[in-house]
């Protein structure tokens, strides 16, 4: 496992912020050196101390939300993480103005649920959610709206017949882009496959999301060609079979290399 560059995006993060004494992965060295969130001290000797500060900060935020009655012992953990993130981002709504989650908050909750499947400890889980979402929004927020067009382009290269079918049936405009590109396949792929995709995103490329979506379409093209209604296409793609996803991600990475070379910071 230690030599597998496709897995365990958590390791480098834990090592850098002092959460765990684990081996860091080279795929994250450039990103972490850039320190996009300002969370890393300049000297490695300070990492353990910073880890203890993060723990105290986490507990202080929890206590504040409990005192303000935003959360209690029965609040779902993913909603707790959302309120913590909102408080730290200074966008926490008034208690009297809380409403059902909007689409952006639903994306956060979905990624949080997926992260909970990967990380056991709530403290580690929250910091990884915060790090992942903040970095994703900061680096790729402007690129996400353009990913559907990129998908259409690459699909025209790989399987123009399927592209024509999706266009003619009215399905292309209704593909689950939110699930694929804003939630980074959280809720679509199982943990083992999802980690490999998130490794690439954290390493500096959101274009990998396009190629995972492309390979899903290619892998199930026979089924999709037999579905004539957009809602049928969307329903299938939102509930793809789970047993073949590792192979899909492997083929998606091959496509990524085919079209982009060996990128570290591709779009």
């Amino acid at each position: 496992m230690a030599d597998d560059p496709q897995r365990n995006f958590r390791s480098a993060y834990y090592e850098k912020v002092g959460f765990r004494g684990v081996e860091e992965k080279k795929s994250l060295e450039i990103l972490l050196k850039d320190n996009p969130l300002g969370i890393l001290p300049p000297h490695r000797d300070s990492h353990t101390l910073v880890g203890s500060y993060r723990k105290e900060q986490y507990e202080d935020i929890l206590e504040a939300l409990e005192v303000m009655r935003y959360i209690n012992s029965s609040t779902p953990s993913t909603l707790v993480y959302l309120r913590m993130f909102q408080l730290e981002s200074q966008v926490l709504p008034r208690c009297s103005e809380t409403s059902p989650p909007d689409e952006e908050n639903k994306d956060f909750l979905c990624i949080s649920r997926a992260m909970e499947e990967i990380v056991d400890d709530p403290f580690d889980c929250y910091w990884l959610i915060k790090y992942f979402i903040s970095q994703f929004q900061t680096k790729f927020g402007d690129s996400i709206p353009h990913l559907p067009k990129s998908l259409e382009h690459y699909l025209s290269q790989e399987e123009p017949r399927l592209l024509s079918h999706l266009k003619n049936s009215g399905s292309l405009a209704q593909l689950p882009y939110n699930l694929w590109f804003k939630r980074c396949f959280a809720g679509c792929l199982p943990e083992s496959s999802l980690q490999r995709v998130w490794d690439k995103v954290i390493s500096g490329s959101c274009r990998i999301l396009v190629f995972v979506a492309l390979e899903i379409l290619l892998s199930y093209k026979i089924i999709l060609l037999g579905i004539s209604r957009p809602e049928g296409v969307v329903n299938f793609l939102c509930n793809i079979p789970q047993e073949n996803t590792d192979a899909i991600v492997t083929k998606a990475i091959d496509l990524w290399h085919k079209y982009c070379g060996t990128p570290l910071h591709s779009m």
Side-chain angles (χ1 to χ4, degrees):
M1 180 69 71
D3 295 327
D4 185 353
Q6 305 294 344
R7 299 298 302 277
N8 230 356
F9 69 86
R10 309 179 301 283
S11 300
Y13 180 69
Y14 287 150
E15 174 71 16
K16 289 291 186 178
V17 298
F19 293 160
R20 295 286 189 272
V22 296
E23 182 176 322
E24 69 182 28
K25 299 293 180 285
K26 291 182 181 298
S27 62
L28 300 182
E29 285 178 352
I30 294 177
L31 172 64
L32 292 168
K33 187 183 296 183
D34 291 341
N35 192 17
L37 302 179
I39 61 174
L40 306 181
H43 304 294
R44 183 175 293 275
D45 292 345
S46 304
H47 290 176
T48 300
L49 182 60
V50 168
S52 67
Y53 289 158
R54 295 299 183 222
K55 183 73 172 179
E56 291 178 8
Q57 183 177 349
Y58 173 87
E59 293 172 348
D60 287 345
I61 297 169
L62 272 182
E63 183 178 0
L65 289 170
E66 289 170 354
V67 169
M68 291 187 291
R69 299 183 180 179
Y70 279 90
I71 63 173
N72 54 51
S73 59
S74 64
T75 304
S77 55
T78 52
L79 184 55
V80 171
Y81 299 144
L82 174 61
R83 296 305 182 208
M84 292 176 71
F85 187 79
Q86 289 175 329
L87 180 58
E88 288 203 279
S89 303
Q90 300 182 2
V91 294
L92 185 69
R94 296 176 181 270
C95 271
S96 59
E97 296 174 354
T98 53
S99 57
D102 58 18
E103 282 305 311
E104 182 176 349
N105 290 337
K106 287 180 181 178
D107 296 341
F108 183 101
L109 293 171
C110 192
I111 291 173
S112 297
R113 283 191 290 271
M115 193 71 79
E116 281 192 317
E117 295 296 317
I118 299 172
V119 184
D120 293 329
D121 184 84
F123 166 61
D124 292 339
C125 189
Y126 172 67
W127 280 100
L128 278 166
I129 294 166
K130 175 184 174 181
Y131 168 78
F132 180 82
I133 291 178
S134 296
Q135 183 259 339
F136 185 76
Q137 292 175 344
T138 300
K139 293 197 68 158
F140 306 126
D142 293 339
S143 299
I144 298 304
H146 304 289
L147 297 187
K149 265 302 184 191
S150 292
L151 175 60
E152 182 179 345
H153 168 73
Y154 292 121
L155 186 57
S156 72
Q157 303 298 305
E158 293 289 324
E159 190 55 62
R161 184 164 70 103
L162 177 57
L163 176 60
S164 295
H165 172 73
L166 294 175
K167 282 183 174 180
N168 293 336
S169 66
S171 302
L172 185 65
Q174 297 187 39
L175 295 181
Y177 298 121
N178 210 46
L179 173 65
W180 292 345
F181 302 147
K182 289 189 176 181
R183 299 182 183 183
C184 301
F185 293 93
C188 176
L189 300 177
E191 170 194 333
S192 61
S193 303
L194 193 61
Q195 288 186 67
R196 299 174 64 199
V197 177
W198 285 6
D199 278 345
K200 300 300 183 185
V201 174
I202 291 175
S203 295
S205 175
C206 69
R207 193 174 292 180
I208 185 62
L209 302 175
V210 172
F211 292 106
V212 175
L214 175 62
E215 185 54 44
I216 287 174
L217 295 176
L218 296 177
S219 295
Y220 297 109
K221 65 180 179 181
I222 300 302
I223 294 175
L224 295 172
L225 286 169
I227 303 175
S228 58
R229 298 178 65 84
E231 55 268 28
V233 170
V234 172
N235 182 63
F236 176 80
L237 292 174
C238 288
N239 299 279
I240 62 171
Q242 300 290 284
E243 64 271 8
N244 194 39
T245 55
D246 281 345
I248 287 174
V249 172
T250 296
K251 292 177 182 178
I253 292 172
D254 289 341
L255 284 170
W256 184 57
H257 289 307
K258 172 183 174 181
Y259 285 103
C260 303
T262 309
L264 277 178
H265 294 277
S266 174
M267 195 166 85

